Amino acid sequence: MKVKVISVLEDNYMYLVIEENTRDAIAVDAAVPKRLLEIIRKEDVALRAILTTHHHWDHARGNEELARLCPGLHVYGADERIGALTHKVTHNQELTFGAIRVRCLFTPCHTSGHMCYFMWEDGSPDAPALFSGDTLFVGGCGKFFEGTAEQMFTNLTQTLGTLPKETKVFCGHECTVRNLKFALKVEPENETVKKKLAWAKQRDDEDLPTVPSTLQEEFLYNPFLRVTEEPVQKFTGKTDPVEVLRTLRTEKDNFKKPKERPHPQAVLAFDWGLFSPFLEKK
Ligand SMILES: [Zn+2]
């Protein structure tokens, strides 16, 4: 099983999972059909299915077009709002694509129909993979748009947190630096947070993805998975794990956004405005 990490839109990840014996492929969150089809052509694989984590535009908007272009394509998801949905899946349902096995893990909260996908190959030495959409991020978790802190607590501690520690985490967005800056505010003394943040900043500078992480790592620096740790409780002023999580989410929602990086065109326009009076004088 091979996972292609495809960076699309502002900071989204689309994934292509390849079954190496059959050369069949499964896409996760196919937001940009053109990019996906280019890679499918280059890898010389056949797209059999799309697994959609949730109905949001930046995760599901390519479904209709791909369904039109690839007759017989199966589109899986847990929410009727997902475009071109052909197979509605439920919690713990298992799917098979050649040697690839998938377990659907229902994680309502970011949206009421959010599904994560746990993937592995029987008899393979490779670590399993978790496609966590907008439920679990590297260093963070998704916003509670359609759910509660109680639900996210169950998602993170029970549904996802009990998976094998070596599970690789492939999430829906590249927001690691921002998440870890917040993690550092929560736990200023946490050396693992500091190290991971320095690493993530370097990856960001080199325009490289910070996915995948592992579940084991996440437990060391992700405050949303550390709600029973004393420094995290101290930061929130709460001890009940659900209340700790609720407060963390509110604090993160209010955490200052980094200054927008100027778009290259914006920089050009700005420079022109700055230098043109000077040039005119000459
Ligand atoms: Zn979303």
Side-chain angles (χ1 to χ4, degrees):
M1 170 170 119
K2 189 162 105 180
V3 180
K4 304 281 287 181
V5 176
I6 311 158
S7 159
V8 291
L9 306 172
E10 186 106 331
D11 58 11
N12 275 78
Y13 282 124
M14 169 168 85
Y15 298 103
L16 188 71
V17 185
I18 297 170
E19 210 282 25
E20 288 169 289
N21 301 316
T22 59
R23 305 302 293 165
D24 282 346
I26 311 156
V28 180
D29 286 349
V32 184
K34 205 175 156 220
R35 282 290 305 285
L36 188 69
L37 292 169
E38 270 169 24
I39 292 161
I40 284 170
R41 229 168 280 133
K42 215 172 82 189
E43 294 287 327
D44 195 24
V45 292
L47 182 66
R48 300 292 180 205
I50 298 174
L51 306 178
T52 304
T53 60
H54 63 296
H55 75 284
H56 284 162
W57 170 88
D58 55 325
H59 297 261
R61 69 162 192 178
N63 290 4
E64 273 102 349
E65 192 180 334
L66 287 163
R68 207 165 48 241
L69 295 171
C70 314
L73 183 72
H74 288 189
V75 179
Y76 296 89
D79 195 315
E80 302 285 356
R81 293 170 292 183
I82 293 168
L85 188 73
T86 63
H87 292 69
K88 194 171 174 188
V89 285
T90 53
H91 184 55
N92 274 334
Q93 189 175 335
E94 290 199 6
L95 311 169
T96 305
F97 303 93
I100 296 176
R101 311 271 305 273
V102 182
R103 189 183 307 140
C104 304
L105 299 172
F106 192 49
T107 53
C109 181
H110 177 72
T111 67
S112 58
H114 193 292
M115 192 63 92
C116 294
Y117 300 97
F118 179 67
M119 235 181 256
W120 75 98
E121 268 184 20
D122 280 334
S124 163
D126 297 345
L130 173 71
F131 296 90
S132 59
D134 289 2
T135 294
L136 172 66
F137 292 129
V138 179
C141 78
K143 290 190 178 182
F144 305 173
F145 287 129
E146 297 179 353
T148 63
E150 283 81 359
Q151 284 178 313
M152 191 52 96
F153 180 70
T154 306
N155 294 341
L156 296 179
T157 60
Q158 305 297 311
T159 313
L160 306 182
T162 54
L163 293 171
K165 296 282 173 273
E166 70 275 17
T167 301
K168 288 183 172 160
V169 179
F170 294 92
C171 59
H173 290 270
E174 179 60 55
C175 48
T176 306
V177 169
R178 207 158 67 222
N179 287 342
L180 290 171
K181 282 183 178 168
F182 176 71
L184 192 61
K185 187 186 172 188
V186 177
E187 292 188 89
E189 309 295 323
N190 184 327
E191 291 302 320
T192 318
V193 172
K194 288 180 200 170
K195 259 189 232 161
K196 187 80 180 179
L197 176 58
W199 174 83
K201 280 178 173 168
Q202 199 187 330
R203 298 285 290 182
D204 203 47
D205 286 344
E206 292 164 20
D207 201 21
L208 292 169
T210 61
V211 290
S213 65
T214 65
L215 208 49
Q216 184 160 31
E217 281 184 274
E218 291 301 320
F219 278 106
L220 300 176
Y221 53 66
N222 188 331
F224 295 91
L225 285 172
R226 295 172 56 77
V227 290
T228 56
E229 297 292 325
E230 197 255 318
V232 181
Q233 297 190 337
K234 202 175 134 211
F235 173 81
T236 56
K238 304 278 186 337
T239 49
D240 177 72
V242 173
E243 293 313 315
V244 174
L245 186 65
R246 194 190 316 277
T247 306
L248 276 181
R249 189 60 260 173
T250 309
E251 288 290 323
K252 177 66 167 59
D253 289 344
N254 298 325
F255 187 59
K256 65 174 173 32
K257 281 219 171 96
K259 276 191 197 130
E260 290 274 322
R261 280 189 194 177
H263 189 272
Q265 276 176 350
V267 172
L268 275 178
F270 175 73
D271 283 350
W272 175 247
L274 187 70
F275 288 112
S276 57
F278 177 72
L279 290 171
E280 272 163 22
K281 257 195 249 168
K282 273 167 106 185

